Amino acid sequence: MDLTARLADLDARIADAARSAGRDPSELTRIVVTKFHPAELVSTLYAAGVREVGENRQQELSAKREALPDLPGLRWHFIGQLQSKKARAVRAAAQVVHSVDRDRAADALHAADPDGAPLAVLLQLNLTDDPGRGGVAPAGLESLATHVLTACPSLRVRGVMAVAPLDEAPAAAFARVAAASESLRRVVPDATWISAGMSGDYAEAIAAGATHLRIGTAITGPRPERR
Ligand SMILES: *Cc1c(COP(=O)(O)O)cnc(C)c1O
């Protein structure tokens, strides 16, 4: 299968998973994760109609944006761990940041362009017990949301993001994400996005209410070695 066929195949599977869950496939945004692939892959995907791409490292994101011409309507999603010192570059290059997980990172994104057009951000949850993994513990979510609302007016909280842990059934992990999304909406009623689901677990994520899927290898094939 070539790239266009894999895209169509995956979209059909996503639509099936949505219908099985009693959901309308049009509620779902499929983000193609292009990390480690050359910038030309983004052009190829764009020509195939893709308008949402995801990168997990700031340097790679910035380099690709520089290498590519302006592609109207293309939205870049930053999905990797957000270091405060990279916040300025991330804000300059991404339209959506999925990985805000502490006050300091939010502050740095805000300070990068305090009077700029609002930046869509998601609050990343840590679903593991390992504090070294990215994300805020679910118990800290409402406090982080309150901080962003009150101290970072140039950021617009749109929802939550999470990666299912490897040692847990994805459905159980995504149920916790759905509960966290509800608690976030008590603070920010219109923060309805749920970024969850990758190549191996998008069906479970859709069943649990995901609105944004981050899909890499199922579309692109295996990633080249990290350069
Ligand atoms: C790489 C990555 C993905 C995509 O993973 P695949 O298994 O290739 O679909 C999704 N989310 C994040 C945060 C990633 O780093």
Side-chain angles (χ1 to χ4, degrees):
M1 265 199 279
D2 68 2
L3 191 67
T4 317
R6 281 199 302 266
L7 257 179
D9 182 64
L10 183 83
D11 286 345
R13 289 169 194 268
I14 289 173
D16 280 347
R19 283 187 289 264
S20 307
R23 299 184 59 197
D24 183 341
S26 71
E27 296 169 14
L28 302 172
T29 300
R30 178 256 294 129
I31 300 158
V32 183
V33 177
T34 47
K35 65 186 185 199
F36 309 173
H37 288 282
E40 300 79 68
L41 179 70
V42 175
S43 307
T44 308
L45 287 164
Y46 185 83
V50 169
R51 291 295 179 270
E52 317 277 341
V53 293
E55 287 287 335
N56 74 333
R57 291 196 302 167
Q58 174 271 318
Q59 272 150 305
E60 190 177 342
L61 167 67
S62 301
K64 284 180 188 175
R65 293 239 30 197
E66 206 153 296
L68 292 167
D70 185 40
L71 300 169
L74 183 66
R75 281 150 60 90
W76 294 85
H77 297 253
F78 184 74
I79 63 174
Q81 282 207 21
L82 180 61
Q83 293 171 263
S84 301
K85 63 175 195 277
K86 307 272 180 77
R88 185 169 297 276
V90 168
R91 181 148 192 181
Q95 281 77 44
V96 185
V97 175
H98 290 229
S99 44
V100 170
D101 62 357
R102 57 199 192 287
D103 293 0
R104 236 168 65 81
D107 292 341
L109 273 180
H110 171 63
D113 195 5
D115 304 313
L119 175 71
V121 300
L122 301 177
L123 307 183
Q124 183 179 354
L125 291 163
N126 182 356
L127 299 177
T128 74
D129 297 325
D130 175 0
R133 305 288 298 261
V136 62
L141 179 64
E142 287 189 32
S143 149
L144 175 59
T146 303
H147 176 81
V148 178
L149 275 184
T150 52
C152 307
S154 72
L155 307 185
R156 180 167 178 208
V157 177
R158 303 305 311 258
V160 292
M161 178 274 221
V163 177
L166 292 173
D167 59 355
E168 184 182 3
F174 292 140
R176 302 213 301 289
V177 178
S181 165
E182 245 177 68
S183 79
L184 173 61
R185 279 178 278 133
R186 284 196 286 273
V187 182
V188 193
D190 67 348
T192 54
W193 297 7
I194 300 179
S195 167
M198 319 194 333
S199 294
D201 57 18
Y202 61 85
E204 289 91 341
I206 291 168
T211 61
H212 289 65
L213 313 170
R214 308 177 311 267
I215 314 270
T217 49
I219 294 170
T220 63
R223 280 184 277 275
E225 291 292 306
R226 191 186 268 264
R227 283 166 301 164

